[in-house]
Amino acid sequence: MSSFKDLRIVDNFYQTSSFFPMPTVLVGTVSENGQTNLGAYSLCFPYYIAGKERYAMLLECRNSSNTAQNILRGSKVSLNFITDDRKYFREAVRLGFPGDTTEEKMKDCIFTLEKGLADGERPLVVKEAYQVFECTWDDGLEDAYKDKAGCLEGYEPPYRNFNGITSKFGAHFILKIDKILMKEKYYNSIVNGVKAKNFPPVPVDYGYRDSTNFWCSSFNKPFPEKICVKEGDVNSVKYAAKRIDPEVTFTDEACAKLTKIPRIFLKAALTQMVEIAKEENVSVIDEAALQIINDKRRKEKR
């Protein structure tokens, strides 16, 4: 006999039929009068993470919300990640209440707004956030640019599958990340090496809610668990390296340094190394050249 019970799946299942850990994000958009509007969301997740010419987030929301209507009208978005301060979460709950106009909800907003770093006319960003993604809605996907603002009582079909108006009351927006803004303390942590003490105090919003409360947990220091590294055979690295580019070769010593790269990522890593080697006019990648190449790869990541 199973140790689990079969719980009925209903609308908004992430809230009503489960306990689902999510981020707490203030989504900034520009209203019709040019004012920055902040809406609180948790259905905001990474979408394009690798292998494309761009990176993107996915935002799911009610299509009649100020946020959705502003995106349909203007496309520029800021995703502001706030810390676990109790007063911030209380304000996020207030900003997430439906029906208020931008003027009404922003009148007494406790957050400080400032200009971000991306170019063009954009919503302001939240100064108190530990990180901000400045984004642009990718409305070319699924011809979503054809969806227009103005339908506040629900949209009629046809609907998009994954971008734009996706149901009578729902919307999905694929947001290209233009800039990632990071407060200096956490920027230094990522660049110089993350330690448990250097994590920002990130809250977890538990999707479950009832008619009275939203639920959130405060930050606890994370604990590390070593990655189980499976070293590959140096001959496998040498075999792959010889097939990347005939103009650039790897020494045996350099190949021996690369055995910890998981096999599934090996070709991509070697290809990037060869591209950098060509930029540096290097035709033989030895241990010294490998150090230079890896330093450059780390700098590009930063």
Side-chain angles (χ1 to χ4, degrees):
M1 179 179 291
S2 174
S3 61
F4 292 94
K5 299 283 289 184
D6 184 4
L7 185 62
R8 187 167 66 97
I9 304 172
V10 297
D11 286 354
N12 295 325
F13 66 89
Y14 69 96
Q15 289 182 326
T16 55
S17 304
S18 66
F19 300 95
F20 197 80
M22 299 181 292
T24 303
V25 182
L26 297 177
V27 179
T29 54
V30 180
S31 68
E32 281 190 279
N33 66 4
Q35 183 179 7
T36 293
N37 177 88
L38 293 179
Y41 289 90
S42 288
L43 294 178
C44 188
F45 311 100
Y47 192 74
Y48 293 146
I49 62 169
K52 285 184 172 287
E53 73 282 1
R54 62 197 184 282
Y55 303 98
M57 298 287 287
L58 173 65
L59 173 68
E60 303 174 48
C61 58
R62 184 171 43 84
N63 60 36
S64 61
S65 66
N66 292 326
T67 296
Q69 292 292 303
N70 290 341
I71 294 175
L72 290 169
R73 191 181 297 111
S75 80
K76 302 299 182 183
V77 180
S78 65
L79 305 179
N80 306 270
F81 294 78
I82 57 175
T83 60
D84 69 347
D85 191 309
R86 183 71 179 267
K87 68 182 179 184
Y88 291 170
F89 189 69
R90 185 181 300 115
E91 180 71 343
V93 171
R94 185 187 73 82
L95 291 171
F97 191 82
D100 291 343
T101 66
T102 297
E103 291 79 6
E104 289 170 339
K105 70 162 57 179
M106 297 303 293
K107 179 181 177 182
D108 298 314
C109 180
I110 69 171
F111 294 109
T112 307
L113 298 178
E114 65 180 31
K115 188 173 176 56
L117 299 180
D119 296 330
E121 294 297 320
R122 292 176 174 270
L124 300 175
V125 303
V126 175
K127 184 176 182 180
E128 291 83 358
Y130 64 87
Q131 71 179 12
V132 180
F133 295 174
E134 292 194 280
C135 302
T136 301
W137 178 35
D138 196 349
D139 60 3
L141 295 172
E142 273 205 294
D143 293 335
Y145 62 88
K146 295 178 182 178
D147 293 336
K148 303 299 181 183
C151 298
L152 302 182
E153 303 302 321
Y155 284 76
E156 297 303 319
Y159 301 121
R160 315 290 169 197
N161 289 314
F162 62 90
N163 189 41
I165 303 300
T166 51
S167 67
K168 185 175 180 65
F169 301 111
H172 289 61
F173 297 106
I174 297 175
L175 307 174
K176 295 183 293 185
I177 300 175
D178 301 314
K179 295 277 187 183
I180 292 181
L181 318 184
M182 189 74 62
K183 284 297 174 64
E184 184 175 7
K185 175 181 178 180
Y186 306 118
Y187 171 94
N188 291 336
S189 177
I190 289 177
V191 170
N192 299 323
V194 176
K195 295 180 174 60
K197 66 180 181 179
N198 294 332
F199 271 78
V202 179
V204 174
D205 175 0
Y206 289 96
Y208 178 79
R209 60 165 294 189
D210 52 30
S211 60
T212 306
N213 297 306
F214 278 99
W215 295 81
C216 182
S217 70
S218 58
F219 175 75
N220 286 312
K221 187 171 69 172
F223 58 85
E225 188 65 36
K226 289 291 185 183
I227 297 172
C228 181
V229 177
K230 296 181 179 179
E231 292 198 31
D233 181 0
V234 67
N235 289 325
S236 298
V237 177
K238 289 162 64 175
Y239 179 86
K242 287 179 180 178
R243 283 155 179 77
I244 299 298
D245 192 308
E247 296 179 3
V248 179
T249 60
F250 288 74
T251 66
D252 290 351
E253 293 76 15
C255 289
K257 295 281 189 180
L258 303 175
T259 57
K260 291 185 178 181
I261 299 176
R263 184 177 300 178
I264 193 172
F265 301 131
L266 182 59
K267 183 178 179 181
L270 293 173
T271 299
Q272 185 184 34
M273 292 176 190
V274 167
E275 290 172 353
I276 295 174
K278 285 188 170 184
E279 292 172 3
E280 300 293 326
N281 295 316
V282 173
S283 59
V284 177
I285 299 178
D286 56 16
E287 291 181 274
L290 186 62
Q291 182 63 48
I292 294 172
I293 290 169
N294 283 334
D295 287 345
K296 187 165 185 178
R297 292 175 71 204
R298 282 190 285 269
K299 288 179 181 178
E300 287 179 354
K301 181 181 178 181
R302 294 174 189 175

